[in-house]
Amino acid sequence: MLLHAIERFLRQYDMPPTTFGRASTRDPRLVFDLRQGREPGDRVRRRVEHFMNTYRRSISQ
């Protein structure tokens, strides 16, 4: 589930939810809305996954 992956990412990188939302989809409410039951579309899901993968690669270099 996408929300679980996001929650792990936030804990791992000590990133605030609003920062994550702005950086990944330009939506500071993204994480809060997902926590309230919002179902992301394919486009949002791909953008979030791309952001997390890119961020991890940039940190590990």
Side-chain angles (χ1 to χ4, degrees), residues 25-54:
T25 62
R26 291 185 272 177
D27 178 2
R29 294 224 23 100
L30 174 70
V31 176
F32 300 108
D33 291 346
L34 292 173
R35 288 173 179 166
Q36 294 297 316
R38 174 177 164 190
E39 290 294 327
D42 289 338
R43 185 173 181 208
V44 169
R45 184 178 303 274
R46 285 192 306 269
R47 288 178 72 176
V48 166
E49 290 170 349
H50 176 75
F51 169 76
M52 290 190 295
N53 292 332
T54 303

Side-chain angles (χ1 to χ4, degrees), residues 6-25 27-32 35 51-52 55:
I6 293 170
E7 296 288 4
R8 280 193 310 270
F9 182 91
L10 294 177
R11 285 190 303 274
Q12 182 178 3
Y13 295 104
D14 194 30
M15 183 179 288
T18 53
T19 301
F20 178 88
R22 274 192 201 98
S24 63
T25 62
D27 178 2
R29 294 224 23 100
L30 174 70
V31 176
F32 300 108
R35 288 173 179 166
F51 169 76
M52 290 190 295
Y55 190 89

